[in-house]
Amino acid sequence: MSASQTSSSDIPADVPTLLVKIFGKDRPGITAGLFDTLAAYSVDVVDIEQVVTRGRMVLCALVTEPPPGLEGDLRATVHSWAESMKMQAEIISGLGDNRPRGLGRSLVTVLGHPLTAEATAAIAARITKTGGNIDRIFRLAKYPVTAVEFAVSGVETEPLRTALVTDAARLGIDVAVVAAGLYRRAQRLVVMDVDSTLIQDEVIELFAAHAGCEDKVAEVTAAAMRGELDFEQSLHARVALLEGLDASVVDKVRSEVRLTPGARTLIRTLKRLGYQVGVVSGGFTQVTDDLKERLGLDFAHANTLEIVDGRLTGKVTGEIVDRAGKARLLRRFAAEAGVPLSQTVAIGDGANDLDMLNAAGLGVAFNAKPVVREAAHAAVNFPFLDTVLYLLGVTREEVEAADTLDIG
């Protein structure tokens, strides 16, 4: 489906207007032909909207009434022209422009695989129950998921988000609700977690496999998840198990890291659209620095494994990147990029990412634990990282077009 709209300056509500609707099989020349026909009657264009779905067109033109005595002739001529084009026409009299949209404007992105009629009906009904009106619906993508965007007015963004996110889990779909506005097309900053977000692995576990202490690392991780250890305590406890490991293992771990499906597409598209992209990680710079170089990232920060005389000491150096540290780094990256915090996007999967997700203008929980999904602004539960692009209003066609750009 595709749509376009333009409008003239406001006209008085009592000025007679005509809504001219043309529908039928799409072909080149329909739009030009309609307005050539209308031009003979000295009408002004107030609004235009055109939609094409599977080769069928609906073209609507809101125009001012023609000079006295010519409306009947205009109607007959439009119907005759439409018939000659094997199209159908409908002309409705009225007054003024479209009714003003209600205060409070949001964009609701719905992702489904598949997107069922039941889920679509439930989302539309919930929008209505919150006092919102659906002004337009637009398909963003059909692959790897079906993504559609609802333009909604008449209700504030936060209560709408709360209502829809609650329904999403029950319906087996993902929903993101953001305020409408120019910011969506502004240059922005996207910051991601690394382990189980940008990559499919947990880096500490890759190191542990080479040290033969996977089980012990898993025990410490489990204790941290039970709340018996905080992140910093668990980090030190797990890294201590790596003491004595030869530093050559770093290259082996780098080669074992598996990017999440869609990660390259996400980053490549964002960069080609002018976004800045960074990562923050509770993992290690020995891996994130390599990812930064390989993927062309603008920012990267993580903990650093201490290496002395060619062996890991079982310690980390520098400031620990924990839950609060990730939010702090998001703010630092935004300042360095010259991007307001409201223009940032954060993506993560764990409780360690919550402060960062909450601090960002848009926090996205990616295949996250329930507590994270409930706290984030939006959730994606499909295994493709590039589906995040649809939450930013980027269409699949734009993703594919970005791949053809020459950025040197």
Side-chain angles (χ1 to χ4, degrees):
M1 180 183 294
S2 62
S4 60
Q5 178 178 331
T6 62
S7 63
S8 65
S9 57
D10 290 343
I11 63 172
D14 59 351
V15 171
T17 51
L18 298 176
L19 175 61
V20 181
K21 296 172 61 180
I22 304 296
F23 43 97
K25 185 177 179 180
D26 186 31
R27 63 176 66 84
I30 298 296
T31 304
L34 173 62
F35 286 96
D36 276 344
T37 302
L38 293 173
Y41 296 92
S42 301
V43 298
D44 295 330
V45 177
V46 179
D47 199 0
I48 311 169
E49 187 159 353
Q50 178 174 307
V51 177
V52 178
T53 305
R54 210 173 69 176
R56 308 297 291 184
M57 167 194 278
V58 177
L59 170 60
C60 295
L62 185 64
V63 299
T64 55
E65 189 179 54
L70 293 182
E71 182 179 334
D73 190 51
L74 179 150
R75 287 174 176 271
T77 302
V78 169
H79 280 285
S80 177
W81 168 83
E83 186 176 344
S84 73
M85 301 299 292
K86 295 183 171 56
M87 306 286 282
Q88 293 179 275
E90 182 180 3
I91 303 175
I92 304 171
S93 299
L95 295 174
D97 199 348
N98 306 307
R99 65 180 178 84
R101 295 176 62 188
L103 297 177
R105 299 182 184 180
S106 303
L107 297 171
V108 178
T109 306
V110 180
L111 308 179
H113 186 64
L115 180 59
T116 65
E118 177 188 8
T120 306
I123 291 298
R126 178 63 68 181
I127 290 171
T128 300
K129 288 178 182 177
T130 61
N133 183 72
I134 299 172
D135 299 314
R136 187 170 295 110
I137 305 174
F138 179 74
R139 187 177 73 183
L140 296 168
K142 59 182 178 181
Y143 171 83
V145 299
T146 300
V148 296
E149 181 177 273
F150 294 75
V152 177
S153 61
V155 60
E156 295 300 326
T157 299
E158 285 303 323
L160 181 61
R161 176 186 292 139
T162 300
L164 293 179
V165 168
T166 300
D167 284 350
R170 174 178 57 82
L171 296 167
I173 58 175
D174 291 334
V175 175
V177 184
V178 299
L182 288 176
Y183 82 92
R184 218 171 182 215
R185 291 296 182 185
Q187 186 179 50
R188 290 196 285 172
L189 168 69
V190 176
V191 176
M192 287 176 276
D193 172 46
V194 175
D195 292 8
S196 298
T197 300
L198 178 63
I199 66 174
Q200 300 177 59
D201 312 283
E202 294 288 331
V203 170
I204 185 67
E205 294 178 2
L206 296 179
F207 276 102
H210 289 281
C213 59
E214 293 171 277
D215 291 344
K216 292 181 179 179
V217 165
E219 288 176 9
V220 175
T221 300
M225 292 183 69
R226 290 193 301 266
E228 297 168 8
L229 296 172
D230 64 22
F231 177 81
E232 185 169 349
Q233 289 174 320
S234 70
L235 175 67
H236 287 305
R238 286 177 290 181
V239 171
L241 296 170
L242 306 180
E243 182 180 0
L245 196 60
D246 193 280
S248 63
V249 78
V250 169
D251 287 335
K252 295 177 182 178
V253 168
R254 287 174 174 173
S255 68
E256 293 166 351
V257 166
R258 300 167 300 162
L259 292 174
T260 298
R264 287 187 183 278
T265 300
L266 172 67
I267 295 169
R268 181 174 63 244
T269 303
L270 291 173
K271 295 292 293 179
R272 289 176 174 176
L273 294 177
Y275 288 68
Q276 297 188 62
V277 185
V279 293
V280 292
S281 176
F284 311 110
T285 56
Q286 282 83 358
V287 171
T288 57
D289 287 351
D290 180 61
L291 289 170
K292 180 181 180 184
E293 182 177 351
R294 284 167 53 196
L295 299 173
L297 302 174
D298 299 285
F299 305 97
H301 201 95
N303 301 301
T304 300
L305 292 168
E306 184 181 65
I307 299 175
V308 176
D309 296 329
R311 293 192 176 276
L312 275 64
T313 66
K315 299 178 182 178
V316 292
T317 62
E319 181 183 9
I320 298 298
V321 179
D322 56 8
R323 175 170 168 168
K326 288 188 174 185
R328 202 162 45 243
L329 286 163
L330 172 69
R331 293 186 176 93
R332 183 192 304 175
F333 293 168
E336 292 177 11
V339 174
L341 201 60
S342 61
Q343 301 293 97
T344 63
V345 180
I347 310 168
D349 74 298
N352 201 38
D353 301 311
L354 277 174
D355 288 3
M356 176 177 72
L357 298 181
N358 289 330
L362 176 64
V364 180
F366 179 73
N367 290 321
K369 299 167 182 65
V371 66
V372 181
R373 291 201 303 268
E374 292 169 6
H377 300 128
V380 171
N381 294 303
F382 300 101
F384 309 104
L385 195 55
D386 54 337
T387 55
V388 172
L389 290 166
Y390 309 140
L391 306 186
L392 307 180
V394 180
T395 69
R396 190 71 200 176
E397 288 79 6
E398 288 171 325
V399 173
E400 293 169 356
D403 281 344
T404 68
L405 296 177
D406 181 5
I407 58 172

